């Protein structure tokens, strides 16, 4: 399981809740990985990838609007980081995923969890650092 920890809190409630939701989606993927009774996971994987993509886009726009509203100076590099996450999620080859389902769930999970935790701890926290 991927645990949310208080260290991830950046101090803006709405953004913290959105980050928790991203961890929730990752946990759904983890449950799917561990599900031994599910023979074909393909549909769930594509559903979860869609959900992740949609929610990440929603969250990133929210954060970007917030940064603009406070005239945050590092808006552009932060937005570029968001875009690169969406591009990476878009770049998964669905046929390859179908061929090797558990391997890909694990790979996607590792990418998402590492990226999100690093991004929250370093980049998102800078928004509120004064
Ligand atoms: Fe961010
Ligand atoms: Fe964020």
């Amino acid at each position: 399981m991927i645990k949310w920890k208080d260290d991830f809190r950046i101090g803006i409630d709405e953004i913290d809740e959105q980050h928790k939701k991203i961890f929730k989606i990752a946990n759904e993927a983890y449950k799917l990985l561990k599900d031994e009774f599910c023979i074909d996971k393909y549909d769930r994987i594509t559903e979860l990838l869609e959900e992740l993509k949609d929610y990440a886009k929603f969250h990133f726009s929210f954060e970007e609007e917030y940064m603009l509203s406070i005239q945050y100076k590092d808006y552009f590099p932060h937005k570029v980081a968001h875009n690169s996450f969406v591009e990476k999620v878009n770049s998964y080859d669905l046929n390859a995923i179908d061929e090797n389902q558990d391997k890909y769930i694990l790979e996607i999970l590792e990418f998402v969890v590492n990226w999100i935790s690093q991004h929250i701890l370093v980049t998102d926290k800078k928004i509120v650092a004064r």
Side-chain angles (χ1 to χ4, degrees):
M1 278 297 206
I2 306 98
K3 274 249 159 108
W4 164 268
K5 355 170 234 185
D6 263 351
D7 297 357
F8 291 129
R9 197 174 292 284
I10 73 163
I12 300 165
D13 287 347
E14 227 161 338
I15 290 179
D16 288 331
E17 288 310 310
Q18 291 172 6
H19 288 155
K20 280 185 193 165
K21 166 76 180 171
I22 296 173
F23 279 82
K24 239 185 210 160
I25 298 171
N27 273 318
E28 287 299 314
Y30 184 78
K31 265 190 231 155
L32 183 63
L33 176 69
K34 294 288 162 197
D35 187 347
E36 290 165 22
F37 298 104
C38 182
I39 300 157
D40 190 349
K41 301 178 178 176
Y42 181 74
D43 289 347
R44 280 295 286 146
I45 298 172
T46 52
E47 267 170 36
L48 282 171
L49 268 178
E50 276 304 304
E51 195 184 347
L52 175 68
K53 209 188 306 176
D54 288 349
Y55 197 77
K57 280 187 191 162
F58 160 77
H59 166 65
F60 293 158
S61 336
F62 184 93
E63 231 174 62
E64 285 158 16
E65 266 173 42
Y66 177 79
M67 288 190 275
L68 286 176
S69 79
I70 60 163
Q71 293 172 313
Y72 179 61
K73 61 176 172 36
D74 286 331
Y75 169 82
F76 279 108
H78 196 139
K79 187 180 165 61
V80 168
H82 287 168
N83 291 350
S84 79
F85 178 87
V86 176
E87 265 165 41
K88 169 78 181 171
V89 175
N90 271 329
S91 75
Y92 284 111
D93 175 350
L94 295 180
N95 289 321
I97 292 178
D98 200 14
E99 303 285 290
N100 224 327
Q101 301 183 351
D102 278 349
K103 174 181 163 266
Y104 270 95
I105 302 175
L106 191 62
E107 192 186 309
I108 295 167
L109 256 178
E110 272 174 0
F111 165 72
V112 170
V113 171
N114 289 337
W115 194 95
I116 290 293
S117 12
Q118 271 306 101
H119 183 83
I120 294 174
L121 292 174
V122 178
T123 312
D124 288 348
K125 279 203 173 175
K126 273 191 199 154
I127 303 174
V128 287
R130 289 288 141 93

